[in-house]
Amino acid sequence: MTRALWPNDPRRLGDYELLSRLGEGGMGAVYLGRAPGGRLVAVKVIRPELAWDTEFRGRFRSEVSRAREVPGFCTAAVLDADPDHATPYLVVEYVDGPSLREVIKEQGPLSGGTLHGVAVGVATALAAIHGAGVIHRDLKPENVLFALGTPKVIDFGIARALEATSRHTRTDQMVGTVSYMAPERFDSESDREAGPPADVFAWGVVVAYAATGRTPFRGDSPGATAARILTQPPDLAGLDGPLRDLVGRALAKDPAQRPTAPELLDRLLATESGKALDQQPELRQAAEAAAHIEPVHTDAVPRRRVGRTVAAAGAAVVLATFAAFVALDDPSPAPSFVAAAPSSVAAVPAAKAKSRVQGPSLIDGLDRPGQWKATPKSDDAAGWCTFEAKRLLVTTSSSSVYTCTGPADTFAGDQTITVDATVVTAEACAAIWFRVVDRGGYQASFCPAEIRLGLDNDGEMIGEQKVASTLFRPGQTHRAAIAVRDETAHVTVDGVEVLSVPLTDPLLAGGKVELGAINDANSGDSMAAFADVELRSPTVDPQVTFPDLTGTGPATSVVKLYAYDPAAHVAVAEPVLYLDGTDYCTRFKIKQGDGRCEQETIIVESHLKVTVPTANRPALTTWDDPTGEGDCIGTMRSGGLCPIKQAAFTAWLKGDPQGLAAITTSGGTATKLAQMYRP
């Protein structure tokens, strides 16, 4: 399924015209493109914050070169790539068909010849991939597409470029999707590396999913799933015959006990039941050819390990240390980066012009839990964050530094950070960290005697500059700001620049923003406070304007609703333009003959998340009329009219994260939330 290009999307990359969006994920956006000869292709554009990482570019270049050598046996061919483009991109064969996930969702589990064809097709692809010295590392149903009924595997080899670059995965993270990961990918004490056997394990999970509609180690959480993969036998109920035995062997805990991809094919072709491939001669021919490919030795890449090896008695260790997993192309938060030791290289040249990159922006009054969270007080805690007197109060206790849990959004290129900062106690500094990756990032400190800016490498300050200042005496609030322009950070207070520092570490091209406090006396509790924070990336197209959710007047705006907390009386929303095709083309001056003008609805995102206070009991409505009379659908911009109970509204949002809603505000407070009708 394709979607219209967003106004800020590129219209051309190299020789390729971009026609529409196919999707987006952890590594970037995927577009439907047209090659010079008219052939349709899929163009994957790498995320901006990865684009400025020289190590990633090198790894990306190497892996793409390998991937282009993969023969076209049940694989989507890699056609072209430009690792040196401002935003690197990859061009692959466009497969016009549904994914295995979509097929199972619409038709239910597969059986007979159809199931056998999937098993053969995916094993054929793995034999071809491994024969070229490539490891897939993220085989899952979403990466198995059907073209005229024949399965094709996509996205092989590229996951390795991300995982092998150390700063893109923390020690508690890895690239992949948990349910399809082999046990050795969780093992920190073994010398085994994740290689082709890990892909064979994923093949077993994919085939079991195709046959039963569920994964064989499914748990209630990623940690529980990981523990089952490590300690429990697979649940293969519903899978029988020779295929059950072969899947069971592929899911062996020890990679040495698993068959290779060519061995899978030999068994599948020998045990084929009911002449399942008689109607698919091309698939049979590809499988027979791939079965004779000799695997190329692959230099395994060290894994980003998660926890200790888990025996049955030690599963709790994994559950305790299992912090996060990143699915490469799932619509989930993008992976974090890990900063290596600071580099002494010169500042990144301004010619890279990252100001053209549109990243996220957000606004939060910090007067209640919203995009920043509270942490509980404790006698032995390093510190805590509370919301008091309409501000975020940060207390350091047993540690000299404490940061509050905030949004996971990462910012690359030019950006501005502005916030009301207050030093509450004399020994404290109000601190802002930006481009934070793991335990590295840049730090600006606003202290009673001075203002500082430098590179914070896990508590060690590198290249720090200071300026004497008495602006931040205890109890005094000032508007502190950091503006990053052309790889130089400028610190201002109440609009006046006080110092600037070049951003010289190429490993910190992007990262999170954090707020916290520093205890300069390194003893006792110290406190700093923040209010009204704004984090903004540059706007690519200034002609696109979105509703202001913080305005004083009454307004109704369509939003993507990220969260609604009735206890804290707060919602987190992203304003969007929700247009029909005609309005879209009129607003953006697109000729009416364009296919987008015929679309029923088009969403234009702002990339701005706003924390909005809500009334104690805001009106909650929906378009889903329980009477069936159709009186509650409402309008395209006002949302449904039927009253809905709070529990049902919350359940809807939980089941549809980032669901579309109309939000009515008055004086910056939301008085009504209405589910949108989406045809």
Side-chain angles (χ1 to χ4, degrees), residues 137-152:
R137 304 179 83 80
D138 195 31
L139 181 63
K140 57 188 177 183
E142 290 84 348
N143 285 336
V144 179
L145 305 182
F146 289 89
L148 301 177
T150 300
K152 285 199 172 189

Side-chain angles (χ1 to χ4, degrees), residues 335-423:
S336 299
F337 307 67
V338 170
S343 167
S344 59
V345 300
V348 179
K352 288 189 175 176
K354 289 185 286 184
S355 60
R356 289 195 294 271
V357 176
Q358 182 184 30
S361 297
L362 60 88
I363 297 174
D364 194 313
L366 298 179
D367 60 339
R368 67 194 69 204
Q371 297 179 74
W372 271 263
K373 310 299 180 185
T375 51
K377 297 180 181 180
S378 172
D379 291 339
D380 57 353
W384 49 82
C385 298
T386 56
F387 292 89
E388 301 178 17
K390 295 187 176 181
R391 60 184 184 175
L392 174 64
L393 185 64
V394 190
T395 303
T396 69
S397 185
S398 62
S399 173
S400 60
V401 179
Y402 193 76
T403 59
C404 299
T405 301
D409 304 80
T410 60
F411 296 78
D414 290 359
Q415 67 182 109
T416 57
I417 305 163
T418 55
V419 64
D420 287 346
T422 307
V423 171

Side-chain angles (χ1 to χ4, degrees), residues 18-29:
L18 303 188
L19 306 175
S20 58
R21 272 185 170 248
L22 294 174
E24 52 276 328
M27 226 175 154

Side-chain angles (χ1 to χ4, degrees), residues 136-459:
H136 194 298
R137 304 179 83 80
D138 195 31
L139 181 63
K140 57 188 177 183
E142 290 84 348
N143 285 336
V144 179
L145 305 182
F146 289 89
L148 301 177
T150 300
K152 285 199 172 189
V153 172
I154 64 172
D155 279 354
F156 46 86
I158 308 307
R160 187 179 180 190
L162 184 68
E163 184 169 81
T165 307
S166 61
R167 25 188 197 286
H168 298 137
T169 49
R170 299 197 307 265
T171 54
D172 61 354
Q173 289 188 317
M174 60 188 67
V175 172
T177 306
V178 179
S179 297
Y180 301 87
M181 287 183 178
E184 61 267 27
R185 298 195 65 193
F186 306 113
D187 187 353
S188 64
E189 294 184 342
S190 170
D191 291 333
R192 296 177 304 185
E193 300 296 350
D199 283 348
V200 171
F201 184 92
W203 173 89
V205 181
V206 167
V207 174
Y209 170 81
T212 65
R214 66 181 187 282
T215 55
F217 300 99
R218 181 176 58 183
D220 295 333
S221 67
T225 299
R228 290 187 178 185
I229 290 172
L230 288 159
T231 65
Q232 301 297 316
D235 176 8
L236 299 180
L239 184 63
D240 52 24
L243 192 56
R244 178 188 177 110
D245 176 66
L246 196 55
V247 168
R249 290 184 58 198
L251 297 178
K253 306 298 185 192
D254 184 352
Q257 300 299 316
R258 299 174 204 146
T260 65
E263 289 171 347
L264 285 177
L265 282 177
D266 284 340
R267 290 284 302 276
L268 287 166
L269 293 172
T271 60
E272 179 187 343
S273 59
K275 304 294 183 181
L277 298 183
D278 284 352
Q279 304 303 316
Q280 295 178 284
E282 292 184 0
L283 178 57
R284 179 191 291 277
Q285 184 178 8
E288 291 174 344
H292 295 91
I293 296 176
E294 289 293 330
V296 173
H297 174 70
T298 304
D299 295 327
V301 179
R303 301 181 309 281
R304 308 300 156 211
R305 289 162 174 148
V306 177
R308 297 184 176 276
T309 304
V310 179
V317 177
V318 155
L319 294 175
T321 60
F322 198 93
F325 287 86
V326 180
L328 181 64
D329 277 312
D330 285 349
S332 53
S336 299
F337 307 67
V338 170
S343 167
S344 59
V345 300
V348 179
K352 288 189 175 176
K354 289 185 286 184
S355 60
R356 289 195 294 271
V357 176
Q358 182 184 30
S361 297
L362 60 88
I363 297 174
D364 194 313
L366 298 179
D367 60 339
R368 67 194 69 204
Q371 297 179 74
W372 271 263
K373 310 299 180 185
T375 51
K377 297 180 181 180
S378 172
D379 291 339
D380 57 353
W384 49 82
C385 298
T386 56
F387 292 89
E388 301 178 17
K390 295 187 176 181
R391 60 184 184 175
L392 174 64
L393 185 64
V394 190
T395 303
T396 69
S397 185
S398 62
S399 173
S400 60
V401 179
Y402 193 76
T403 59
C404 299
T405 301
D409 304 80
T410 60
F411 296 78
D414 290 359
Q415 67 182 109
T416 57
I417 305 163
T418 55
V419 64
D420 287 346
T422 307
V423 171
V424 179
T425 57
E427 65 281 355
C429 302
I432 303 171
W433 287 265
F434 59 100
R435 294 195 177 182
V436 174
V437 177
D438 195 44
R439 292 181 294 275
Y442 294 96
Q443 178 200 109
S445 305
F446 303 88
C447 311
E450 61 187 11
I451 298 172
R452 310 187 292 250
L453 177 62
L455 177 59
D456 181 356
N457 183 48
D458 196 14

Side-chain angles (χ1 to χ4, degrees), residues 414-597:
D414 290 359
Q415 67 182 109
T416 57
I417 305 163
T418 55
V419 64
D420 287 346
T422 307
V423 171
V424 179
T425 57
E427 65 281 355
C429 302
I432 303 171
W433 287 265
F434 59 100
R435 294 195 177 182
V436 174
V437 177
D438 195 44
R439 292 181 294 275
Y442 294 96
Q443 178 200 109
S445 305
F446 303 88
C447 311
E450 61 187 11
I451 298 172
R452 310 187 292 250
L453 177 62
L455 177 59
D456 181 356
N457 183 48
D458 196 14
E460 178 185 358
M461 297 304 298
I462 309 294
E464 186 178 51
Q465 295 190 21
K466 306 177 182 180
V467 60
S469 171
T470 58
L471 289 172
F472 286 88
R473 291 175 177 172
Q476 295 187 356
T477 299
H478 295 274
R479 192 69 173 168
I482 302 166
V484 176
R485 305 188 199 96
D486 296 330
E487 295 308 303
T488 298
H490 306 266
V491 175
T492 65
V493 178
D494 297 329
V496 178
E497 183 168 324
V498 293
L499 58 84
S500 63
V501 169
L503 306 182
T504 59
D505 191 336
L507 306 186
L508 296 176
K512 297 191 300 181
V513 173
E514 295 181 346
L515 303 176
I518 297 174
N519 186 342
D520 265 2
N522 205 23
S523 63
D525 294 351
S526 68
M527 290 180 285
F530 300 91
D532 294 322
V533 66
E534 295 188 14
L535 312 181
R536 293 189 182 272
S537 297
T539 300
V540 176
D541 188 348
Q543 297 179 350
V544 182
T545 58
F546 295 87
D548 181 7
L549 301 183
T550 63
T552 58
T556 297
S557 310
V558 180
V559 301
K560 287 170 65 176
L561 193 59
Y562 286 85
Y564 168 55
D565 186 344
H569 309 303
V570 68
V572 178
E574 174 189 351
V576 301
L577 300 180
Y578 188 46
L579 309 171
D580 61 33
T582 301
D583 287 347
Y584 178 87
C585 290
T586 300
R587 180 175 294 224
F588 295 106
K589 298 179 174 59
I590 298 171
K591 293 182 180 180
Q592 289 297 321
D594 191 289
R596 288 170 289 182
C597 306

